[in-house]
Structures are given as C-alpha cells and as structure tokens.
Amino acid sequence: MPRGDKSAYTDKQIRQAEHIEESYEDRGVPEKEAESRAWATVNKTSGGGKKSGSGRGKAESKEPAKTGGKKGGAASASRTAEQRSASAKKGAETRKRNAAAKG
C-alpha cells in the first residue's frame, strides 16, 4: 500500500476527515494543510484505518474533539467580567456588520 493510500479507512472515517477538512478551510487554513490536519485528527481519534483485520474493535478516543472547549473555557475564566463583556460586544458588532455586508 503506497504512502497516503486511504483504502484501509472506513466510509465513516473518510466522511469524518472530509468534515474536519471543510471546517479547517472555513477558518482559512490552506487546502493541503487542512487535509493533513483532518487525517491526523481521524488517526488520533480512531487509531488509523479500520478495514484491516488487526486494528478493528478498538475504542475510539474522543479527546481530540474535546480539546477546543477546554482551551476556550480556560481562556474565558482567566478574564474579568468587563473583558468578557467587551469581547462579546465586539463580536456582536462584527457579526452585525458581516450580516449587513452579505445581505
């Protein structure tokens, strides 16, 4: 099996990688980098391709999917109420401005 061959992955793993890749691209990550990160995430979650006999039946680790919330929560907790409020107001203003520009 040549390097980069995805034949050992299940349909579910391929779908997961596609969704993760789209998410990275939406956030401005270049296409090749997004694909690389997506497959790294799928591999970390599931332990690699599942179609071959030896890797089947192992439990999936949900840890890679959970890290984002932990990071955000810690950052938010270390800020004062005034800082969080200012950030929320700034975000609301940006969303409002972007919505007006789109529509």
Side-chain angles (χ1 to χ4, degrees), residues 50-85:
K50 291 282 192 180
K51 279 190 179 172
S52 62
S54 62
R56 298 190 125 187
K58 291 185 180 175
E60 286 197 353
S61 164
K62 305 290 187 198
E63 192 59 33
K66 292 181 176 179
T67 55
K70 288 181 182 176
K71 290 178 182 176
S76 180
S78 67
R79 299 187 316 173
T80 65
E82 291 81 19
Q83 289 172 324
R84 289 195 307 273
S85 178

Side-chain angles (χ1 to χ4, degrees), residues 29-68:
V29 177
E31 192 174 330
K32 282 203 162 202
E33 175 69 14
E35 182 182 10
S36 173
R37 287 186 191 183
W39 282 107
T41 304
V42 169
N43 287 338
K44 188 161 187 174
T45 302
S46 61
K50 291 282 192 180
K51 279 190 179 172
S52 62
S54 62
R56 298 190 125 187
K58 291 185 180 175
E60 286 197 353
S61 164
K62 305 290 187 198
E63 192 59 33
K66 292 181 176 179
T67 55

Side-chain angles (χ1 to χ4, degrees), residues 4-49:
D5 183 23
K6 306 293 185 225
S7 63
Y9 290 89
T10 63
D11 291 341
K12 179 181 177 182
Q13 288 175 309
I14 293 169
R15 280 195 314 275
Q16 284 176 327
E18 287 170 356
H19 286 297
I20 295 167
E21 183 180 350
E22 286 173 17
S23 177
Y24 277 124
E25 287 174 358
D26 289 344
R27 288 183 265 166
V29 177
E31 192 174 330
K32 282 203 162 202
E33 175 69 14
E35 182 182 10
S36 173
R37 287 186 191 183
W39 282 107
T41 304
V42 169
N43 287 338
K44 188 161 187 174
T45 302
S46 61

